[in-house]
Amino acid sequence: NAGVTQTPKFQVLKTGQSMTLQCAQDMNHEYMSWYRQDPGMGLRLIHYSVGAGITDQGEVPNGYNVSRSTTEDFPLRLLSAAPSQTSVYFCASRLGLTNEKLFFGSGTQLSVL
Amino acid sequence: GEDVEQSLFLSVREGDSSVINCTYTDSSSTYLYWYKQEPGAGLQLLTYIFSNMDMKQDQRLTVLLNKKDKHLSLRIADTQTGDSAIYFCAENPTGTASKLTFGTGTRLQVTL
């Protein structure tokens, strides 16, 4: 199984550019989420989804949009990138809505100049 | 809001025991987790403990939970160079089944 796949692994953007970070899982997981990881701040939840067609905001949603049109995919969109969005982004999924473990992708390192 | 705190860095010699500590604020958390992040990779679940337990042992790993002090620790016996990584504790506060709150992470360095 591929698990959770994120693309791209690295990306450099200019301020104001837009882009989409892709996340796909092949485990039929209901729950998917996006985190950002910054030095000294751990992981912070951006957006999450509890099933196709359902999304909700996490701790730091501003500047990001998500959609969940299929169970497998959960893309994260930056409409107008800012330097404050320079970070490492992780997608994570789990089977249900309770307390099973999260499966993480390998991350996308994003730099906004 | 919930806050999970960890020290940022720990250095131990190969063969010694490592103890990574974590404090959390939400006493209603039903599960507490330890995740490991190796360089350039995502997080992987190491172990977890139910809030009604004081201790859980899994091979070289021992998790201790002190609910009164809201303190969680991870002990790694016979630490190996392959244990070098960042370790995150996380809690799942009641009422937020869809969200995990992660600590800041502790970087474990294992020296020869």
Side-chain angles (χ1 to χ4, degrees), chain A residues 27-86:
Chain A
M27 298 174 282
N28 202 31
H29 284 177
E30 287 185 59
Y31 176 87
M32 297 185 74
S33 57
W34 278 101
Y35 286 86
R36 59 178 288 173
Q37 182 179 23
D38 300 293
M41 301 188 76
L43 276 78
R44 293 181 292 169
L45 182 65
I46 304 171
H47 285 285
Y48 66 97
S49 168
V50 299
I54 306 169
T55 64
D56 207 345
Q57 296 181 349
E59 182 185 354
V60 288
N62 291 341
Y64 308 95
N65 283 347
V66 292
S67 59
R68 185 92 179 273
S69 56
T70 67
T71 300
E72 294 78 19
D73 301 296
F74 190 45
L76 179 72
R77 297 183 186 86
L78 285 72
L79 297 179
S80 179
S84 61
Q85 294 178 304
T86 293

Side-chain angles (χ1 to χ4, degrees), chain A residues 3 5-6 15 20 28 50 57 86 92 99 102-104 109 113:
Chain A
T5 304
Q6 286 184 240
T15 297
T20 300
N28 202 31
V50 299
Q57 296 181 349
T86 293
N99 297 300
L102 279 174
F103 290 79
F104 280 82
Q109 189 167 320
L113 306 178

